[in-house]
Amino acid sequence: MKINILTLFPEMFDLFNHSIMGKAQEKGLIKIEPINIRDFTLNKHKKVDDYPYGGGAGMVMTPQPIVDAIRHCRKNNNGMVIFLGPRGKTFNQRIATKLSKEKELIFICGHYEGIDERVYKHIDMEISLGDFILTGGEMAAIPVVDSILRLIPGVLNKEESHMDESFSDGLLEYPQYTRPEEFEGDKVPQVLLSGHHENIRKWRRLQSLIITKERRLDLYTKLEITKEDKKILLKNKEIIEK
C-alpha cells in the first residue's frame, strides 16, 4: 500500500521508519511518503493560513496549497483523499479493515482552526478520532495510519497476530500472561498452564465477554451472541452476574 500524508510537519512521521512499520517499508509491503503542504504555497513567505472571513479567533488554512498538494499526489496516487477532522465518522476497527484493502490513500492533516471549506470538494472521506480536540491532524493521522497498515498481510510477523485483538470481533481482548508463573503472589490462571487448547480457548472467550460487559457495555449490547457464547455464559452465570 502507498500512503501520502499532506502535512505542515512531515518530520512527525519519521516514527514510521522504525520498528514494525520500518521493516514493512524495507520489505516493500508499504510506502509512507509525507508531503509538506508548505512547499506548494504561492505565498512568498511560505504562509499557508489567513484570518477567517466574518471574524473570529484563530487562523484558517488557505485552499490553494492544500489543493495543489493533492493534485501533485494525484500524479502517482489515485487513492481516496481522507481528511482528519471533527466532522468525520468516528474511526474504528471496521473502518480500518475497510481502508486496509485499498492500494493507495492520501491523508490531509489540518491545523489552526481548520481548512477552508472549498477544499472539501477534493476530499472523499473525513475521519475523527472522537469528541476531543488535538493540536493538529498529525496527532490523529499517526494512529489511523498505523491501525490500517498493520492489517496488511505480511506487515505483522504472523498473519494471525491481529485476529484476537480488542475490537477485531467486537469484544475487548482477554487477559494476557507471560513468565514468571507467579509474581508478587499473583499466579497465572491454571487453565493457561494446562495445555488443553479447547479449555484455554473457552476461558479466553469468557474473559473477553466479561471484560467487555464490565468496561464497554455499548459494545457488549451490540454483540451477536453465538450458541457457544450462550453455553459459556450459562455455565458461568454466577461469574457474569457479579
Side-chain angles (χ1 to χ4, degrees):
M1 175 184 280
K2 178 179 181 179
I3 289 182
N4 284 126
I5 305 173
L6 308 188
T7 172
L8 296 179
F9 302 97
E11 63 276 6
M12 290 183 68
F13 297 96
D14 286 348
L15 81 170
F16 285 120
N17 295 323
H18 304 281
S19 189
I20 292 173
M21 294 306 163
K23 293 177 181 177
Q25 290 201 75
E26 290 175 0
K27 294 177 183 177
L29 297 172
I30 61 176
K31 182 178 181 181
I32 305 170
E33 183 181 359
I35 301 293
N36 194 332
I37 297 172
R38 206 176 294 277
D39 290 341
F40 296 88
T41 181
L42 300 179
N43 184 280
K44 64 180 181 180
H45 301 296
K46 294 295 182 179
K47 191 177 179 182
V48 295
D49 63 325
D50 212 327
Y51 295 103
Y53 278 118
M59 306 289 276
V60 176
M61 291 183 71
T62 57
Q64 177 271 314
I66 301 175
V67 172
D68 281 357
I70 293 171
R71 288 170 177 158
H72 169 79
C73 290
R74 283 291 189 210
K75 296 176 182 178
N76 298 294
N77 187 329
N78 293 314
M80 294 172 58
V81 177
I82 301 172
F83 176 57
L84 287 308
R87 300 180 191 170
K89 296 179 180 178
T90 302
F91 190 69
N92 56 30
Q93 192 67 18
R94 179 182 58 79
I95 296 175
T97 301
K98 180 181 178 181
L99 292 177
S100 71
K101 302 181 188 306
E102 300 289 327
K103 293 183 178 180
E104 299 172 326
L105 293 170
I106 299 172
F107 287 89
I108 303 174
C109 302
H111 254 275
Y112 314 117
E113 293 302 310
I115 60 174
D116 188 290
E117 188 69 20
R118 290 165 291 186
V119 177
Y120 275 94
K121 65 175 65 175
H122 300 275
I123 293 172
D124 301 305
M125 182 180 189
E126 185 170 2
I127 286 175
S128 169
L129 284 190
D131 299 334
F132 54 91
I133 301 171
L134 296 171
T135 55
E138 291 79 11
M139 301 297 188
I142 290 170
V144 168
V145 170
D146 183 79
S147 65
I148 292 168
L149 293 180
R150 67 194 307 280
L151 296 174
I152 294 174
V155 170
L156 299 183
N157 290 330
K158 294 182 179 179
E159 185 68 20
E160 68 273 19
S161 58
H162 62 76
M163 295 306 294
D164 292 328
E165 294 177 331
S166 293
F167 310 116
S168 61
D169 61 354
L171 289 171
L172 298 180
E173 190 178 11
Y174 49 78
Q176 296 279 15
Y177 295 87
T178 187
R179 292 176 177 80
E181 186 176 322
E182 182 174 343
F183 176 70
E184 295 185 348
D186 288 335
K187 296 182 179 180
V188 174
Q190 191 60 41
V191 65
L192 299 179
L193 306 175
S194 68
H196 195 298
H197 297 298
E198 182 62 12
N199 286 347
I200 291 172
R201 185 187 66 80
K202 289 180 179 179
W203 179 87
R204 285 175 168 171
R205 183 69 180 181
L206 173 63
Q207 296 304 311
S208 286
L209 289 165
I210 292 172
I211 291 171
T212 304
K213 185 178 181 181
E214 288 178 347
R215 304 183 187 182
R216 288 295 302 276
L217 189 58
D218 59 318
L219 293 177
Y220 187 83
T221 54
K222 296 177 183 177
L223 184 68
E224 292 185 14
I225 301 294
T226 65
K227 290 182 179 180
E228 182 183 44
D229 288 339
K230 291 179 180 178
K231 290 181 181 179
I232 293 174
L233 292 171
L234 185 61
K235 186 176 181 180
N236 298 275
K237 186 176 181 180
E238 292 183 2
I239 299 176
I240 288 288
E241 292 181 347
K242 281 184 179 179

